[in-house]
Amino acid sequence: MSSKTGKPLKRRRNTLPLHVIAVIVGAFMVAPVVYALLGGFKTNSELSGNPFGLPSTWVTENYTDVLGSASFWRQMWNSTFIAISTTVLTVALSALAAFVFARFAFRGRELFFTLFTAGLMFPFAVAILPIFVLLRAFGLLDNPLGVILTQAAFGLPLTIIILRGFFRSIPGEIEEAATIDGCSPFGFLWRILLPMARPAIATVSVLAIVGSWNNFMLPLVVFSDESSWTLPLGIQQFQGQYASDTARILAYLILAMVPALAFYAIAERHLVGGLTAGATKG
């Protein structure tokens, strides 16, 4: 065997354990989704007798009944509005802060940056009581702004870290050339940095949207009016209402997951690149 043939073979043998682990982890992640998807097409009796097999008769009523429910679409709208608003606010504020921390030198810069990143050390659940008191004092209970502002505040630390790393990786010569051409600092951010930072912006947008979409505790604390509920709250209410109808609950879960999974699938190719952007330059 030649050395040229032996090297690729050896490389494949070295990466085989990693591939096996990836397949096993992927199977553990996909199996519950496939189980719920197929379970939504079964009757409850078939789900009990044949939980893992294909449906003998595909029951589409479980999905069509959910899609025909006005409350489902209202909760879908509430979740979409809150997720998009949270993402826009988080990315906009984080981009401005990351730009300052990355491209400006001033006394106390690292101290302020450390204060921002310290927010990663405080779990959301620990702060839920003071958040509730604060939102009540500002009259933001039963108001989407109560969820949007809070989620944006907790999303700032990680978003600033990712965007700052990318902004710092941009060569200073580009900024100098833009300044010579009469570009202001904000113009440099808007016209040059942000277009170049699309992978990083896509990454933080995915994280913000999926995090907001799956958030259960904060909407539970903020919203008492059923018309303001998001999908996670709707799932809990639906599960309580149809406790014995497991197949319909599974259909509801799948339909609630579709928008977030679709957005993630579209933006997935930017995710890894955005997370590693700026990792090699400081």
Side-chain angles (χ1 to χ4, degrees):
M1 181 181 296
S2 65
S3 59
K4 293 183 178 180
T5 306
K7 288 183 179 180
L9 181 60
K10 184 178 180 181
R11 189 179 298 113
R12 286 195 295 269
R13 288 176 178 174
N14 292 336
T15 58
L16 181 61
L18 296 178
H19 292 161
V20 172
I21 294 174
V23 170
I24 293 174
V25 172
F28 273 105
M29 297 176 65
V30 172
V33 178
V34 174
Y35 171 80
L37 177 64
L38 295 178
F41 286 105
K42 299 177 181 180
T43 62
N44 288 303
S45 58
E46 185 180 3
L47 188 61
S48 301
N50 180 27
F52 301 107
L54 292 174
S56 57
T57 302
W58 295 79
V59 181
T60 59
E61 286 80 5
N62 293 327
Y63 287 95
T64 56
D65 288 348
V66 174
L67 292 174
S69 171
S71 61
F72 173 80
W73 291 108
R74 183 173 61 249
Q75 293 158 11
M76 178 79 74
W77 161 251
N78 292 337
S79 291
T80 303
F81 172 74
I82 290 175
I84 293 177
S85 301
T86 298
T87 302
V88 171
L89 184 60
T90 302
V91 174
L93 294 178
S94 298
L96 294 173
F99 176 60
V100 172
F101 287 132
R103 312 300 297 191
F104 289 88
F106 56 91
R107 181 177 298 179
R109 182 182 67 172
E110 296 304 320
L111 175 61
F112 283 112
F113 179 70
T114 302
L115 291 177
F116 270 101
T117 57
L120 294 173
M121 298 187 297
F122 296 96
F124 175 79
V126 175
I128 194 64
L129 180 58
I131 287 174
F132 173 80
V133 174
L134 190 63
L135 294 177
R136 184 177 60 183
F138 283 99
L140 292 177
L141 295 180
D142 276 323
N143 189 329
L145 277 177
V147 177
I148 294 169
L149 294 176
T150 305
Q151 288 184 156
F154 276 86
L156 286 176
L158 180 60
T159 309
I160 290 175
I161 291 174
I162 294 174
L163 292 181
R164 187 203 190 207
F166 189 92
F167 290 165
R168 292 185 70 180
S169 68
I170 304 300
E173 290 80 4
I174 297 178
E175 184 174 3
E176 293 174 1
T179 303
I180 293 174
D181 290 339
C183 191
S184 64
F186 182 79
F188 173 68
L189 170 66
W190 181 256
R191 298 176 184 176
I192 299 177
L193 275 188
L194 291 182
M196 296 179 67
R198 286 177 183 173
I201 291 175
T203 298
V204 296
S205 297
V206 169
L207 296 176
I209 285 181
V210 175
S212 174
W213 196 269
N214 294 329
N215 197 339
F216 172 78
M217 182 177 295
L218 182 60
L220 178 65
V221 171
V222 174
F223 297 132
S224 58
D225 184 4
E226 185 175 346
S227 63
S228 301
W229 284 0
T230 57
L231 276 173
L233 296 182
I235 291 173
Q236 183 199 39
Q237 184 269 344
F238 192 85
Q239 185 176 2
Q241 183 178 356
Y242 298 95
S244 59
D245 196 347
T246 307
R248 184 174 297 188
I249 294 173
L250 293 177
Y252 196 104
L253 286 171
I254 290 297
L255 292 174
M257 291 168 57
V258 167
L261 290 176
F263 178 80
Y264 180 84
I266 294 172
E268 182 269 338
R269 64 190 183 92
H270 296 291
L271 190 59
V272 175
L275 286 173
T276 58
T280 59
K281 295 184 180 181

